[in-house]
Every structure is written in C-alpha cells, then in structure tokens.
Amino acid sequence: TIKNPPLPDNPEGLFNEAERKLATKEYNEARRRYDAFLNRYPSDPRAAKAQLNIGEAYFQEAKYANALIALRKVIDNHPKSEEVEMALFKSGQAFFVIKKCTEAKTFFQELLRLYPRSRLKNDANEQIKELTRAAKNKASCET
C-alpha cells in the first residue's frame, strides 16, 4: 500500500504545498492539504482562500455538488472575506453547468449587489445575459 507522506507541520508549508498540488491538478491531494490546513489553523487569514480552493478543486473535477458545498462554506464561514466574491461567482457557474439557471442567476445577481465595483462585474453580467437566453430552452435550464 502507498503511504501518504507526512504533511508539513506549519501553516506556510502546508498552505504552499496545497497550492502546488492545486496548480499541478492533483485535486485530491490539494483538498487533503487544504482540509488539514483548515483543521489545524481555522483562524489563519488564508482560511477563506483554502476553503475557496477546495471548491475550485471540486469544480475542476466537475464535482459540482461538492463544489457548491465547499463554496457555501466560504460565504457562511468567512462572510467578510474578499474570497466571498469569487465564491458567489463560482457558485453561479456551478449552478449553470448543472442546469439550475434560476439559482445561478441568483448568485450572479447577489455578486453584483454586494460588490457593485467587482472585477467580476462584466463576467457576471455576461453570465446573466447567457442565462436569460438559456432559460428559454429546457435542455439548457431545468429551473
């Protein structure tokens, strides 16, 4: 059996290793490290980023239900974090992919409401336009 190597025992090493695993598309290993980071250092300033990246890893693997759960934790557990903006956007994208257009639109609208000067403003507006077009087609949208 393959044994998992020990994880770094300091926040910098653990977070950096998780980032490397995410960058090299080793999503399970990235999540394992981010989870360990969150369990060991829940009040670290990078906790919201770690949680967001767990959602991103699931999203990249097309595990959208898992991604939505992870992204929700960013919004619920770190409401004042700058990562909420991206969590809202990614949630909208995930809902769109699984054909939940009403829910997707809600997340993009919430992003625009909470962050009127968002760097994601144009992208969110484009997604809303696309959702409006897709909503007319049952093959694209179930809700």
Side-chain angles (χ1 to χ4, degrees):
T1 61
I2 298 172
K3 191 170 183 246
N4 287 326
L7 297 174
D9 61 359
N10 63 74
E12 286 70 31
L14 189 52
F15 190 85
N16 291 339
E17 201 174 288
E19 297 274 279
R20 277 193 299 281
K21 295 294 183 184
L22 185 64
T24 57
K25 300 181 180 180
E26 296 175 70
Y27 299 121
N28 280 335
E29 287 303 309
R31 279 194 300 272
R32 190 168 85 81
R33 285 158 177 79
Y34 285 125
D35 280 332
F37 180 85
L38 288 169
N39 286 328
R40 293 180 191 175
Y41 314 106
S43 59
D44 186 283
R46 295 166 291 191
K49 178 75 170 165
Q51 187 63 56
L52 179 70
N53 286 345
I54 290 170
E56 180 64 27
Y58 280 125
F59 190 93
Q60 292 303 320
E61 290 183 303
K63 295 178 178 175
Y64 300 111
N66 297 68
L68 286 163
I69 291 165
L71 294 167
R72 184 86 232 173
K73 288 180 183 176
V74 176
I75 297 163
D76 291 345
N77 299 344
H78 309 279
K80 299 203 180 318
S81 165
E82 63 186 38
E83 309 305 338
V84 170
E85 186 178 351
M86 183 57 79
L88 289 167
F89 187 79
K90 278 290 186 183
S91 295
Q93 287 184 312
F95 274 119
F96 196 4
V97 172
I98 61 172
K99 301 181 179 185
K100 302 290 185 194
C101 297
T102 304
E103 293 87 341
K105 193 172 188 179
T106 300
F107 276 91
F108 292 124
Q109 289 170 332
E110 186 69 358
L111 166 68
L112 294 171
R113 186 183 72 76
L114 292 174
Y115 304 96
R117 293 189 188 93
S118 173
R119 60 191 165 82
L120 299 167
K121 182 178 181 176
N122 291 340
D123 292 331
N125 279 318
E126 281 304 310
Q127 293 282 313
I128 290 170
K129 284 180 196 165
E130 197 174 328
L131 280 160
T132 303
R133 284 192 296 272
K136 298 173 181 124
N137 179 354
K138 287 290 179 217
S140 299
C141 293
E142 294 173 2
T143 65

